[in-house]
Amino acid sequence: MILDLAEWRMSIDSSFLPIISLLPFLGALVPGLMIRAGRTACATFTALPTFLALVMLLILAPGVMRGEVYTAEIAWLPQLGLSASFFLDGLGLLFAVMILGVGLLITLYARFYLSKDDPMGQFYTYLLLFQGAMLGIVLSDNILLLLVFWELTSLSSFLLIGYWKHLPEGRQGARMALAVTGAGGLAMIGGMLILGNIVGSYNLTDILAAGDQIKASDWYVPALILILLGAFTKSAQFPFHFWLPHAMAAPTPVSAYLHSATMVKAGVFLMARMWPALAGTEIWFYLVATVGLITMVLGAVIALFKDDLKALLAFSTVSHLGLLTMLLGFGTKAAAIAAVFHIINHLTFKAALFMTAGIVDHEAHTRDIKRLGGLARLMPVTATIGTVAALSMAGIPLFNGFISKEMMLEEASHTYWFQNPWIVPALATLGALFSVAYSLRFIFHVFGGPVRDDYPHHPHDPPFGMYAAPALLAVLVVVIGIAPFLAEPVVKMAANAVTGAETKPYLKIWHGINPALFMSVGAILGGAVLLALHRPLDRAWIAAPRPEAKVIFDGLVATVVRWTRGISEALHNGAISRYLAYFVTATVIVGFAAYQGGALGAPTREMLPVPIPVFFGWLLLIIATATVVILHRQRFLALVVIGVVGLMVSAGFVYLSAPDLALTQISVETVTIMLLLLALHFLPKETPAESTGLRIGSDAVVAVAAGLAVGLLAFAFMMRDFDSISAYHLANSYKGGGGTNVVNVILVDFRGYDTYGEIIVLGIAGLAIFALMEALLSGPAGARLRNSSYDLDRSRDRHPLMMVVVTRLMLPIAIMVGVYIFLRGHNQPGGGFVAGLVVSIALLMQYMASGFAWTTRRQKIKYHTLIGLGVLVAGLTGAGAWLAGRPFLTSAFGYVHLEPIEEFELATAALFDLGVFLCVLGAVMLMLYSLSRMARHAGETVNKEPMGYDPSRAVESLRKKAE
Amino acid sequence: MNHWIIAPVVLPALLAPIIAFVMRHDISLARVASAAGTVALAAIALGLAVLAADGGVQVYNLGNWPAPFGIVLVLDRLSAMMVLLTAVLALLVLWHAIATGWDNRGRHFHALFQFQLMGICGAFLTGDAFNLFVFFEVLLIASYGLMIHSGGKVRLQAGLQYVVMNLAGSTLFLFALGTLYATTGTLNIGDLAVKVQAMDPGETALIRVAAILLLVVFAIKAALFPVHFWLPATYANAPAPVAALFAIMTKVGAYAILRIHTTVFGPGTGATEGLVSTWLYPAAIVTIALGAFGVLGARRLSSLLAFSVVGSMGTLMVAVAAFTPEATTAALYYLVHSTFAAAALFLVADLVLTRRGSDFLRAEAPTVQNGLFAALFFGGAIAMAGMPPLSGFLGKLLVMDTLRDPDTIALTWTAILAGSLLTIVGFARAGSVLFWKSTAQTDTPAPDTAEAVTEVAGPQPVGVAEAAPSIMALAILGGLAVFAGPMTRYAEGAAAELFDASAYIEAVLAEPEIPPLDEPSADGDTDAAHDAGEEH
């Protein structure tokens, strides 16, 4: 029973984990609203979820201290191996408490720091988002989930750094941080995916247990490098350190949060987290320790020469991150303990220092050290806090920074670098030395010295709310510094988690007389000397040429943008002829390659004899095509020749016994040419010469190659027999489709659905042209049209008598022909499509003869309606089959015997064909209508009479005269 | 036989002519009809997706003709998913178009819109290669009509390129179909699969040509290098809701490749083994690169978005090119994601650009509701760039996770990750200029501009109705991330059906369930047949 209770207790506790990590995200919704209730209310409600999460964590803390590991898993994307699983061990707990605890302090601090003009709700929302993302990183038990949170920190820090969006530094700093950490994050995606593949699981607990397997894998090195890229960019390790100082453009609370406890520590956390899985190899040591060492020294050196308080602290952060990285890189237990302890210490003093810097900036309105000094007397509380924290940063005894620095130096003192015993200790001491120097500078040049009278704003201590947070941290600095054993259990808990083994941290102030002590003393003395020499050194530093990271970065981005833009714009230059050339060339190449890769047997068919007329037809086709190419600039002429091509194709169909196709081809050809002729009226009569000779040449090569390829392809399959489904169509056309013209039965029955689609295409084309014309005529093109003159090439007799009379005579005949073709369609060549074209040709002729207005007035049904009716009739015919429980477009037919006419067939297919007929007719006429609207816009007069010169009127008037 | 299968085609096809020809003078009427139709389509699509999820391929024999002689529609998980995707996207786009008044800036928007839906759904549902061509035509011509909706010089120019390039593609489609028919004698996809499998190894050259020509045709639709050139200008210049709807158009190409090149020319097909991947893979990689370059190098917001679509198509097609069930699962998830991501971005961009002086990425005075727009753009951007918490990140992970071929892993992953990086940087730069830098412009307003602002009525703030579709698109992306598990399970099922074509083939080539209509009176019929026979 007791056991059960314990289990139950455990499961309840575990269920806290997802809630803890969700709380900040849920809380992020609140500040944006609560800002309406005032700034204090907003801050309070921001603190609430943080506080709740912290309380829940602290409930779990005793268990973790005992060595329990809480886990919770929610399935998310099992196919990928991604689950929302969380776990809490010592390392996670340490970081989570740091994130939430400092988060609370920052919330309090920001309440007083932000001015009334800053949108505070937004700030707290971003802050909570960021907090949630960080918390997610440290609690994730699944490395893919960790990646999700990792990227979220990049995004939310982008928003935080760019919070003052009107400042260029803020925007640039935010973009730089996003680019660098984002790039690292992307690399890490690759690394994590490889890691998961090696282990066969993305669960962190599995991965941590599989360290040997990972290190033995061939993929270890790529995975390591990619993951380290992520960690190094996040934790601002050389050479990716440059983004961090530029992120200082953010409001100080952001800097204090991101650069003490959270964002930059994420990389360190990751290295610590992955320590059992990845650390301990040579490549790990040389990569991680070396980079850390370089970063530590470099950051410390630069920090000394920064006049901006926040820049100094930023480079100091870089340096301390380097220190942590180096310690983790050593790969020993003792170094890991030192790292864990320093993580805590760095958090306390650095957050306090950032907040101090913010207070100074807030009060004195400057952060420039050269314009400060003597503040100790004006703002004693702030000065005390700042001094305590800075002394800890310098590593002065009795402050917590001293102890962890001693431990670091101790570890460094016996580390060999490529068999070299002194390079690591020497450089570590150098780093410590510079660290002392800039820390002392922070104290003496800001707070020390005489009071000045030229501060931009007269400083004094801020209200309690603003210094409460740093003061609390400063107290921690001193407490841990004096009584380090108090931190022992926490360090032990986290170090156990890092190393995956039992550790025995022994934290004390006095380690006895050892190398570390000498190094430490040397560093403090050297640092003091450096500070004394600061003025000349600073002058030398300023005079010396230094690579400016931002300039390099900006230059790099600008270059990449220039190149990408160049490539992109050169390729997408808007010339359709180029695009088509790429398309055709690519098609020919891949087509040929595909052909080459296969086999082709000998032809199975004999060549047919070529009769003389067919030969000449073929020749004519070729000549006509070539003529179109040559004459294409003279548009009218080219159009006429295109007509020849169309006719020859129709003749070909006739010769090859495809009367339906021939009929369709001829009528389509006629309608198309007529409409094109009408359209050409509004276009320039000649195409301008746009291509150079070279281009024409290359285009010709492409065109000829493509033409030959298509020809050869057709030849290849025409020379071979194949079985097809058409035998079925022939056999079932009459039996199942009720028609003997297989082509028509295919069109309206076997594949009526295709036809249905195609008439819709036609209908849409009519609509689209209409809409296009409407848009054209109401735009600037319409105005141009109105102003252009087409009088020059206009016939004097626009509606000639002879034409009017003949077309009028032809009309009933043509319509009869249309009806005939329609009716015979099912059994003989013909059908709705051709009939529609024939009737529209007849009507087109009326329009050409008597003008649009005259004809339209005699028209009863609108063209829009014709198309609509056509599509509807066809569709409803098809749907009618549903009533009989049959699928769409199932046809039915029957034979009717009515006296006195002979027996005839009634088929639903005919109704469908009627739809086709109407749609074709409507679409063609709507296109004509659109063209004639254009004509009227262009100033065409509207004729009321059927013909230009009407002799009957002349007779009439003569008669009147006579009377 | 389930008649609902054809409803996604017939419903818009019947609605569109009524809207065009009966309701064309009243925009409100057209809006109501169009919206009602689209809602109904979405409901039907949802029903079909549920139906398909139960498993089993369902076939609809048009005209009650047995396959392969008639045309069949095939409902499986993949086609149902694509239809549902289309319908949901259409709802958002239609809402946006109506709320912003885009639909009234030219003629026949709603009719063309419905025809467009008909074309897209038809392409997804058909089980016949030639019928696919027909629906490509329907959706091409309708999309051209939509693309040039409301006119304008630049738009018409871009529209011409669009239609010319796609007509060239249609011509090639015909060549390919001709070759296919001349080698197999059939056009039914299931039947083609059977015939191609049984191909004589000594006669593979022509079928290979057909396969690769079809690939080029679909690549044009899917905007793959080197036939993607039409896309950037088209999307950048199309009316915003149309550009958003076009997010599905590229997917039609991707779908067609998935359908044809797995069912017919899939892995294990002797005649075309490895042929498709050989060309598709490098094309997709280059497409990723060109998309990313375009995003980073863009001078205009709309062309930035267009290039981001190109890049996402590259990522999608890299996954498709692997032709494994796992990679296809990833591709399908990514496909849904990238559709909504592109749509969301174009819709948001429309809200911004109609309130902004120009499309160019340069600092101008901020528009009204700068914060809202910034937030929406941020959401769309992280989705498109593949950052968490939206579905792009999971899509990217899925794609990368399934592409582990040791020969290509370095190239694939580098392309995807570097492409992401350039896209992130490109979007960050654009957003920073549009929404951040612009706020600096008003901090020091010259006195005369301040007056000008009061004189000229500023841009109208967006209401809930206008912003809703954009927000919903983003919400869908969030939902896709949260419900990635079930979504991927569905995609897995779809991919499994795709790669085990036997069920598909079996269902398609089965005898129709419904017997043919009673033959009209046996005697008369035979007589008539006899007569007809005599006459001829």
Side-chain angles (χ1 to χ4, degrees):
Chain A
M1 190 63 206
I2 291 167
L3 197 76
D4 280 356
L5 200 69
E7 261 175 31
W8 178 77
R9 170 81 217 167
M10 187 87 184
S11 77
I12 289 285
D13 290 349
S14 291
S15 67
F16 278 5
L17 288 178
I19 301 174
I20 292 172
S21 35
L22 209 59
L23 264 173
F25 291 112
L26 290 178
L29 303 170
V30 177
L33 292 172
M34 286 314 292
I35 186 67
R36 289 168 189 271
R39 290 148 60 84
T40 306
C42 184
T44 313
F45 274 84
T46 306
L48 202 64
T50 316
F51 182 71
L52 267 177
L54 190 59
V55 168
M56 293 169 95
L57 261 184
L58 292 177
I59 292 175
L60 301 184
V64 177
M65 300 280 256
R66 278 197 306 274
E68 278 173 31
V69 175
Y70 295 96
T71 57
E73 182 167 0
I74 302 166
W76 186 1
L77 186 48
Q79 292 87 350
L80 181 62
L82 164 65
S83 62
S85 45
F86 300 93
F87 88 130
L88 185 71
D89 68 347
L91 185 66
L93 179 66
L94 172 67
F95 269 89
V97 169
M98 287 186 346
I99 291 161
L100 292 169
V102 180
L104 274 180
L105 298 179
I106 294 293
T107 308
L108 170 68
Y109 178 77
R111 158 67 187 85
F112 295 93
Y113 180 86
L114 291 178
S115 85
K116 286 196 172 61
D117 301 331
D118 296 323
M120 187 183 260
Q122 220 177 69
F123 179 85
Y124 280 134
T125 299
Y126 294 166
L127 194 73
L128 281 176
L129 285 178
F130 178 77
Q131 191 182 74
M134 274 311 299
L135 208 52
I137 290 181
V138 302
L139 294 181
S140 291
D141 186 21
N142 181 296
I143 53 173
L144 297 181
L145 184 70
L146 190 148
L147 278 177
V148 169
F149 289 116
W150 187 273
E151 297 284 43
L152 280 179
T153 58
S154 297
L155 286 174
S156 48
S157 65
F158 171 74
L159 294 173
L160 280 171
I161 298 169
Y163 174 71
W164 279 328
K165 44 187 174 280
H166 51 280
L167 299 180
E169 298 81 24
R171 296 195 297 269
Q172 289 158 10
R175 288 209 308 266
M176 191 192 279
L178 180 68
V180 176
T181 60
L186 290 169
M188 211 170 91
I189 292 177
M192 291 299 196
L193 284 177
I194 296 175
L195 197 59
N197 207 33
I198 298 173
V199 180
S201 160
Y202 287 114
N203 268 358
L204 204 45
T205 23
D206 297 337
I207 290 172
L208 295 185
D212 295 334
Q213 187 190 344
I214 294 167
K215 287 168 211 162
S217 164
D218 292 341
W219 289 92
Y220 167 68
V221 175
L224 178 68
I225 290 175
L226 289 171
I227 291 173
L228 285 181
L229 272 176
F232 286 173
T233 49
K234 203 69 147 189
S235 282
Q237 295 302 297
F238 178 82
F240 309 112
H241 62 285
F242 57 91
W243 69 265
L244 195 148
H246 290 284
M248 291 297 142
T252 303
V254 174
S255 313
Y257 197 36
L258 262 57
H259 304 139
S260 66
T262 54
M263 172 104 160
V264 295
K265 289 276 176 68
V268 174
F269 168 80
L270 188 79
M271 286 185 272
R273 180 88 282 177
M274 291 292 176
W275 201 85
L278 300 176
T281 59
E282 240 179 43
I283 179 161
W284 167 275
F285 171 77
Y286 283 112
L287 271 178
V288 179
T290 312
V291 166
L293 189 59
I294 295 173
T295 311
M296 178 173 79
V297 177
L298 192 73
V301 172
I302 299 176
L304 181 59
F305 299 103
K306 286 291 167 186
D307 291 331
D308 180 356
L309 270 183
K310 280 178 77 177
L312 183 153
L313 291 176
F315 278 102
S316 133
T317 304
V318 170
S319 169
H320 280 269
L321 290 167
L323 186 158
L324 290 170
T325 306
M326 180 183 76
L327 281 175
L328 290 169
F330 286 165
T332 60
K333 262 193 201 176
I337 295 170
V340 168
F341 191 38
H342 195 68
I343 286 171
I344 301 172
N345 297 337
H346 178 247
L347 157 80
T348 50
F349 66 71
K350 190 53 65 66
L353 282 172
F354 268 116
M355 291 194 231
T356 311
I359 292 172
V360 169
D361 185 20
H362 201 257
E363 298 300 323
H365 289 199
T366 181
R367 300 191 311 239
D368 190 340
I369 299 178
K370 288 190 174 136
R371 300 180 65 187
L372 293 165
L375 292 185
R377 264 166 242 177
L378 296 170
M379 35 201 319
V381 178
T382 313
T384 313
I385 297 168
T387 309
V388 167
L391 287 175
S392 175
M393 178 160 76
I396 306 296
L398 297 186
F399 299 98
N400 60 1
F402 167 73
I403 307 164
S404 48
K405 196 185 69 179
E406 284 280 295
M407 291 161 78
M408 179 275 285
L409 291 174
E410 170 65 30
E411 288 308 309
S413 68
H414 50 74
T415 300
Y416 285 61
W417 198 80
F418 285 111
Q419 277 91 41
N420 187 322
W422 58 267
I423 190 159
V424 173
L427 283 174
T429 313
L430 185 68
L433 187 148
F434 272 91
S435 180
V436 171
Y438 66 69
S439 302
L440 294 179
R441 180 166 184 238
F442 185 93
I443 298 168
F444 289 108
H445 288 191
V446 176
F447 302 113
V451 175
R452 298 167 66 149
D453 50 9
D454 60 347
Y455 306 115
H457 184 263
H458 189 70
H460 50 73
D461 268 325
F464 172 72
M466 200 156 174
Y467 69 68
L472 179 67
L473 291 166
V475 169
L476 277 178
V477 164
V478 178
V479 169
I480 301 175
I482 295 174
F485 54 87
L486 288 177
E488 241 169 55
V490 176
V491 173
K492 178 179 161 65
M493 163 191 90
N496 284 354
V498 170
T499 55
E502 195 66 19
T503 56
K504 291 192 187 66
Y506 190 46
L507 308 177
K508 55 182 179 177
I509 303 173
W510 180 248
H511 284 87
I513 296 175
N514 57 9
L517 187 68
F518 290 114
M519 288 156 81
S520 200
V521 170
I524 292 172
L525 293 179
V529 173
L530 265 188
L531 182 65
L533 295 174
H534 185 265
R535 193 165 296 214
L537 284 175
D538 193 41
R539 268 200 299 274
W541 175 267
I542 289 168
R546 283 160 291 134
E548 186 58 54
K550 182 164 188 308
V551 176
I552 299 171
F553 178 80
D554 287 350
L556 182 71
V557 172
T559 312
V560 174
V561 169
R562 203 168 47 246
W563 273 94
T564 54
R565 179 174 290 168
I567 293 172
S568 183
E569 288 181 353
L571 278 174
H572 305 85
N573 63 354
I576 183 70
S577 54
R578 297 295 86 211
Y579 298 174
L580 285 171
Y582 299 141
F583 158 63
V584 174
T585 314
T587 308
V588 171
I589 290 173
V590 295
F592 184 70
Y595 177 84
Q596 283 295 92
L600 192 63
T604 53
R605 287 179 182 174
E606 292 291 308
M607 281 288 284
L608 295 174
V610 183
I612 298 296
V614 173
F615 175 75
F616 277 106
W618 179 76
L619 206 60
L620 194 56
L621 192 61
I622 300 229
I623 291 171
T625 311
T627 316
V628 173
V629 173
I630 294 162
L631 292 181
H632 75 277
R633 275 208 202 91
Q634 289 147 284
R635 292 175 172 174
F636 269 114
L637 219 53
L639 197 56
V640 172
V641 186
I642 288 176
V644 176
V645 174
L647 275 177
M648 288 322 298
V649 172
S650 312
F653 286 140
V654 172
Y655 172 70
L656 296 168
S657 350
D660 276 283
L661 292 186
L663 251 179
T664 314
Q665 180 69 33
I666 287 175
S667 35
V668 166
E669 203 65 43
T670 315
V671 171
T672 318
I673 299 278
M674 279 167 105
L675 286 175
L676 276 175
L677 276 174
L678 288 172
L680 257 189
H681 176 61
F682 305 102
L683 297 172
K685 304 296 170 279
E686 297 211 341
T687 310
E690 283 169 328
S691 300
T692 58
L694 204 64
R695 181 144 288 174
I696 292 175
S698 71
D699 287 350
V701 171
V702 172
V704 169
L708 273 178
V710 173
L712 287 173
L713 181 64
F715 184 76
F717 61 65
M718 281 192 296
M719 292 296 288
R720 280 160 181 82
D721 290 309
F722 67 101
D723 299 322
S724 81
I725 52 172
S726 46
Y728 178 91
H729 293 149
L730 287 170
N732 286 280
S733 166
Y734 186 72
K735 197 163 64 128
T740 50
N741 177 6
V742 187
V743 175
N744 183 270
V745 176
I746 289 178
L747 283 179
V748 300
D749 202 334
F750 289 121
R751 301 192 69 95
Y753 188 56
D754 281 344
T755 311
Y756 184 52
E758 288 297 355
I759 62 171
I760 285 176
V761 170
L762 213 55
I764 301 172
L767 279 188
I769 291 171
F770 178 80
L772 170 64
M773 206 57 72
E774 190 91 0
L776 263 184
L777 295 182
S778 57
R784 241 190 347 269
L785 206 57
R786 272 194 294 283
N787 295 332
S788 55
S789 160
Y790 290 98
D791 286 340
L792 293 176
D793 56 352
R794 184 169 289 171
S795 156
R796 280 162 177 277
D797 190 7
R798 285 171 56 208
H799 304 295
L801 170 68
M802 280 311 290
M803 188 163 167
V804 172
V805 173
V806 170
T807 53
R808 215 67 92 238
L809 261 176
M810 287 286 292
L811 180 64
I813 300 171
I815 289 180
M816 272 307 289
V817 171
V819 171
Y820 172 69
I821 288 180
F822 176 80
L823 286 179
R824 77 202 287 260
H826 218 38
N827 295 315
Q828 301 278 326
F833 193 86
V834 184
L837 288 173
V838 167
V839 172
S840 43
I841 291 169
L843 290 178
L844 259 172
M845 300 292 285
Q846 306 306 312
Y847 284 89
M848 291 179 100
S850 294
F852 190 83
W854 184 88
T855 322
T856 307
R857 235 173 289 125
R858 276 149 193 81
Q859 173 209 352
K860 296 287 184 293
I861 309 169
K862 291 265 178 282
Y863 301 127
H864 279 88
T865 319
L866 274 185
I867 302 182
L869 267 181
V871 174
L872 277 179
V873 165
L876 291 176
T877 307
W882 289 339
L883 298 178
R886 295 290 187 275
F888 192 68
L889 283 174
T890 306
S891 65
F893 57 93
Y895 296 88
V896 184
H897 195 83
L898 271 183
E899 294 299 343
I901 30 179
E902 280 200 45
E903 187 184 66
F904 61 94
E905 182 191 2
L906 275 183
T908 56
L911 209 55
F912 181 78
D913 221 9
L914 179 67
V916 176
F917 169 81
L918 290 174
C919 196
V920 169
L921 181 61
V924 173
M925 298 314 285
L926 192 60
M927 291 173 200
L928 176 72
Y929 172 74
S930 304
L931 280 172
S932 77
R933 273 170 59 88
M934 217 161 120
R936 261 185 292 168
H937 239 81
E940 193 105 7
T941 49
V942 176
N943 58 317
K944 298 202 170 58
E945 301 300 326
M947 50 196 107
Y949 173 73
D950 187 345
S952 64
R953 294 207 162 209
V955 174
E956 194 92 346
S957 62
L958 276 178
R959 189 177 297 157
K960 270 189 188 153
K961 254 184 207 164
E963 279 171 14
Chain B
M1 193 159 289
N2 187 341
H3 295 294
W4 289 108
I5 296 175
I6 199 173
V9 180
V10 173
L11 173 73
L14 290 180
L15 192 58
I18 296 175
I19 293 174
F21 310 118
V22 183
M23 308 175 175
R24 70 177 187 274
H25 297 301
D26 189 305
I27 186 75
S28 306
L29 190 58
R31 281 173 176 175
V32 170
S34 190
T38 313
V39 170
L41 179 67
I44 294 169
L46 188 63
L48 290 179
V50 171
L51 195 68
D54 292 342
V57 180
Q58 303 207 34
V59 175
Y60 191 78
N61 293 77
L62 282 155
N64 213 20
W65 294 107
F69 310 108
I71 298 170
V72 292
L73 301 190
V74 184
L75 181 81
D76 59 0
R77 284 189 181 85
L78 178 60
S79 54
M81 179 185 119
M82 296 306 290
V83 170
L84 181 59
L85 177 63
T86 309
V88 175
L89 178 72
L91 266 182
L92 297 180
V93 169
L94 189 66
W95 184 341
H96 183 95
I98 292 174
T100 54
W102 257 111
D103 59 341
N104 209 13
R105 292 186 209 171
R107 299 295 300 273
H108 291 313
F109 179 87
H110 291 287
L112 290 170
F113 188 83
Q114 292 297 329
F115 275 133
Q116 173 83 82
L117 294 185
M118 175 222 173
I120 297 171
C121 292
F124 289 146
L125 283 169
T126 190
D128 186 282
F130 186 81
N131 192 244
L132 185 64
F133 167 78
V134 171
F135 278 97
F136 266 34
E137 294 306 286
V138 174
L139 64 86
L140 168 63
I141 193 79
S143 65
Y144 177 63
L146 287 172
M147 152 84 210
I148 57 173
H149 176 74
S150 96
K153 186 180 170 189
V154 189
R155 183 169 298 156
L156 288 179
Q157 272 175 358
L160 185 72
Q161 297 198 347
Y162 170 65
V163 81
V164 166
M165 196 67 200
N166 278 280
L167 282 177
S170 295
T171 314
L172 187 64
F173 201 166
L174 281 181
F175 292 169
L177 286 174
T179 314
L180 206 55
Y181 190 73
T183 41
T184 60
T186 186
L187 290 166
N188 178 291
I189 293 172
D191 198 28
L192 276 171
V194 175
K195 296 270 158 56
V196 172
Q197 286 294 337
M199 208 88 200
D200 175 6
E203 290 287 346
T204 55
L206 294 182
I207 196 73
R208 288 169 63 87
V209 173
I212 207 81
L213 292 188
L214 281 174
L215 184 71
V216 176
V217 171
F218 302 147
I220 293 179
K221 282 274 182 286
L224 276 179
F225 175 83
V227 287
H228 70 284
F229 290 98
W230 59 272
L231 188 140
T234 304
Y235 279 42
N237 293 303
V242 176
L245 182 68
F246 277 19
I248 191 76
M249 299 280 284
T250 43
K251 310 305 184 293
V252 176
Y255 165 84
I257 292 176
L258 276 177
R259 177 65 80 198
I260 303 279
H261 290 93
T262 51
T263 307
V264 181
F265 306 111
T269 310
T272 55
E273 189 69 60
L275 172 67
V276 178
S277 322
T278 310
W279 294 100
L280 191 55
Y281 173 74
I285 294 285
V286 179
T287 308
I288 294 179
L290 286 182
F293 289 176
V295 168
L296 193 57
R299 293 173 201 266
R300 292 167 53 206
L301 176 60
S302 49
S303 79
L304 180 144
L305 300 187
F307 275 108
S308 74
V309 172
V310 173
S312 75
M313 284 315 290
T315 308
L316 170 59
M317 296 316 289
V318 165
V320 170
F323 289 108
T324 62
E326 296 77 27
T328 302
T329 305
L332 290 179
Y333 181 86
Y334 192 85
L335 183 152
V336 177
H337 148 76
S338 73
T339 305
F340 286 112
L345 276 171
F346 276 108
L347 294 183
V348 172
D350 182 44
L351 297 179
V352 177
L353 293 182
T354 47
R355 284 162 185 78
R356 202 170 180 274
S358 84
D359 191 5
F360 281 93
L361 292 170
R362 57 174 179 235
E364 286 176 20
T367 64
V368 284
Q369 294 167 303
N370 190 42
L372 172 72
F373 293 144
L376 292 177
F377 182 79
F378 187 69
I382 61 176
M384 191 50 111
M387 298 283 267
L390 299 181
S391 47
F393 186 70
L394 298 182
K396 192 165 68 185
L397 282 189
L398 276 167
V399 169
M400 287 176 64
D401 186 51
T402 50
L403 300 179
R404 290 178 183 274
D405 180 354
D407 296 335
T408 52
I409 185 169
L411 181 60
T412 312
W413 286 17
T414 309
I416 292 177
L417 293 176
S420 292
L421 180 62
L422 296 187
T423 309
I424 291 168
V425 175
F427 270 108
R429 286 166 58 91
S432 163
V433 168
L434 287 175
F435 304 109
W436 284 359
K437 197 170 180 184
S438 56
T439 57
Q441 304 276 308
T442 44
D443 282 355
T444 52
D448 52 346
T449 45
E451 274 169 36
V453 167
T454 47
E455 273 170 29
V456 184
Q460 293 297 308
V462 291
V464 176
E466 287 164 83
S470 315
I471 295 171
M472 283 194 291
L474 292 175
I476 289 174
L477 292 168
L480 272 177
V482 172
F483 299 106
M487 175 67 211
T488 310
R489 203 153 49 242
Y490 190 93
E492 244 175 355
E497 278 179 347
L498 209 51
F499 281 88
D500 178 19
S502 57
Y504 183 96
I505 294 169
E506 214 166 280
V508 166
L509 296 182
E511 281 293 306
E513 312 156 24
I514 302 172
L517 274 179
D518 297 336
E519 311 227 319
S521 74
D523 294 343
D525 187 36
T526 41
D527 284 356
H530 192 62
D531 293 350
E534 272 183 349
E535 273 168 35
H536 295 280

